[in-house]
Amino acid sequence: MSQVTLLRTIRIAERPNLIWVEIETEEGLTGLGESFRGAQATEAALHEQVAPWLLGQDSRRIEAVSRHLATPYVGFHSAGAEGRAASAVDIALWDLAGKRHGIPVHEALGGAVRTEIRAYNTCAGYAYNSGKTGSGAGWRRSVSAGEEMRGPYDDQIAFTRDAGALAESLLAEGYTAMKIWPFDPYAEATGGHAITLSELKAGLEPFRKIRTAVGERIEVMAELHSLWSSQAAIRICRALEDVGVFWVEDPLNKMDDVEALADLRRQTRTPLCGSETLSGAVSFRRLLAADAVDVVMLDLGWCGGLTEARKIAALAEAHAKPLAPHDCTGPVALWAGLHLALHAPTAIFQEVVRATLATWYQELVTDLPVIRSGMVQAPSAPGLGTALHPSVKGREDVLIRESRLGG
């Protein structure tokens, strides 16, 4: 038996959306997990609901733990605090499993299908998604008129100013795919219910600049951030048909409305991708049964962790749909997504943000994925392949909370 003896949560004020979970066992191993958004609520769920049951359980029984944590009476399928808590714990248990056997998580899952996977760069900046509390677009950083770039990878500002030059910069570093969201600023005026022709033209301009600058040498994804109702989303997707985007991501403000999403898909030639916002295999089963998406995206810190994610990956494979793990949140979820992407047969991309990889991700964990010529390499270290940087727990703004067996 490998009994769970401690559950520890770590948060820092500088990154208020992030929460890390460390699980210790009687054999002296520590597993690391992570989730994002609603960190205070997730912390409460972990210590008040999860820890009293988890402490004393056998950490090797990952499926049993997942089944218990992923089916509370309320809260899971909307990816609420219970779902985020379950995700973080599950990632930590898989990290433990790899460390226990001296193998990387992708091997513990059943082995890698590939030794590297193509990266696409989400063109966020250094402080993107770092706001404090709120919901919807309020979580994400907006670009102000005349704002100066704070470094070479302030890519959100770059795509609003000269998307063509940004594409050239990415190609020079080996990236062959990128994601931008120029339509977001036009959603607020009508609550996402309408977009004018002039706004549509302005939103299309970065895509046209990319094609003018680099032709077809780079794939471009359009992110709509669940900001639009059906009619506006249809108009945007049809307009994007002429610029050949690889996908439109999360086009509707209710990505669990599979009927509306399937109707949108029937009305456009633009491929649809969804959705990082969904949690649990059942939600994705409904999405796929409705033939509502062309590409399946999931977030390992929200969907239920690796245990639930590999079930979602199996559903995607059964429906012959490609898979693309999400990352625009934290470094541990990125590691978990990478292991899934290496293992899942239909995975085609791992999302990365070069701005965070080059800066604050390095301050939080000991190791980050290696990218060569636009391809993310398979790690060989046991477990996830990383740990919290020792300096994190010594920060002045850190908040650590522990629940102990017998404590």
Side-chain angles (χ1 to χ4, degrees), residues 63-79:
E63 179 67 32
V65 173
S66 176
R67 291 288 297 172
H68 181 88
L69 297 184
T71 52
Y73 189 58
V74 292
F76 181 64
H77 291 295
S78 60

Side-chain angles (χ1 to χ4, degrees), residues 44 88 119 163 172 241 245 277 319 395:
E241 290 173 356
V245 295
T277 65
H319 286 82
R395 292 172 58 120

Side-chain angles (χ1 to χ4, degrees), residues 322-346:
L323 186 80
H326 172 250
D327 169 61
C328 198
T329 56
V332 182
L334 169 59
W335 275 107
L338 172 59
H339 284 281
L340 179 72
L342 294 166
H343 166 72
T346 67

Side-chain angles (χ1 to χ4, degrees), residues 99-277:
K99 289 175 177 175
R100 184 176 297 116
H101 297 287
I103 57 176
V105 165
H106 60 76
E107 186 175 341
L109 287 168
V113 172
R114 54 191 65 84
T115 58
E116 59 182 8
I117 190 159
R118 189 180 180 189
Y120 74 86
N121 181 66
T122 282
C123 297
Y126 301 105
Y128 186 80
N129 233 356
S130 293
K132 291 191 176 179
T133 57
S135 61
W139 286 89
R140 297 181 293 271
R141 182 177 175 277
S142 299
V143 173
S144 303
E147 185 175 348
E148 296 294 327
M149 291 180 62
R150 288 177 287 179
Y153 296 156
D154 218 343
D155 291 341
Q156 186 178 2
I157 295 176
F159 82 68
T160 65
R161 306 284 162 78
D162 190 344
L166 173 60
E168 291 173 333
S169 166
L170 288 165
L171 283 169
E173 293 192 8
Y175 291 99
T176 58
M178 60 189 290
K179 186 166 73 183
I180 60 175
W181 45 99
F183 295 102
D184 281 21
Y186 309 116
E188 185 175 358
T190 66
H193 291 291
I195 184 167
T196 67
L197 283 172
S198 62
E199 291 168 341
L200 198 65
K201 182 178 180 180
L204 288 170
E205 190 59 26
F207 298 95
R208 300 195 190 284
K209 286 182 176 179
I210 291 167
R211 291 290 172 237
T212 298
V214 302
E216 298 176 354
R217 289 186 292 145
I218 198 164
E219 296 284 4
V220 188
M221 294 84 158
E223 168 72 86
L224 296 190
H225 282 136
S226 298
L227 293 174
W228 302 94
S229 62
S230 295
Q231 188 58 36
I234 289 168
R235 196 174 206 191
I236 294 169
C237 289
R238 285 177 175 169
L240 286 166
E241 290 173 356
D242 293 334
V243 295
V245 295
F246 194 89
W247 71 51
V248 165
E249 184 176 329
D250 286 0
L252 298 182
N253 49 25
K254 296 289 185 181
M255 285 300 293
D256 57 352
D257 187 346
V258 296
E259 294 80 11
L261 193 59
D263 181 63
L264 169 61
R265 185 168 179 259
R266 286 190 292 268
Q267 297 192 56
T268 180
R269 300 193 311 273
T270 299
L272 303 184
C273 175
S275 170
E276 70 202 48
T277 65

Side-chain angles (χ1 to χ4, degrees), residues 146-147 268 297 361 375 400 404:
E147 185 175 348
T268 180
M297 175 170 285
Y361 272 22
M375 303 294 290
I400 300 173
R404 294 180 178 271

Side-chain angles (χ1 to χ4, degrees), residues 24-80:
E24 296 184 3
T25 68
E26 62 184 348
E27 63 205 304
L29 296 174
T30 301
L32 176 64
E34 179 186 85
S35 193
F36 185 84
R37 299 201 182 195
Q40 291 174 312
T42 304
E43 178 187 80
L46 282 161
H47 290 283
E48 304 302 325
Q49 299 176 27
V50 173
W53 177 83
L54 183 65
L55 292 170
Q57 297 292 327
D58 188 342
S59 65
R60 298 172 299 179
R61 299 182 64 213
I62 301 175
E63 179 67 32
V65 173
S66 176
R67 291 288 297 172
H68 181 88
L69 297 184
T71 52
Y73 189 58
V74 292
F76 181 64
H77 291 295
S78 60

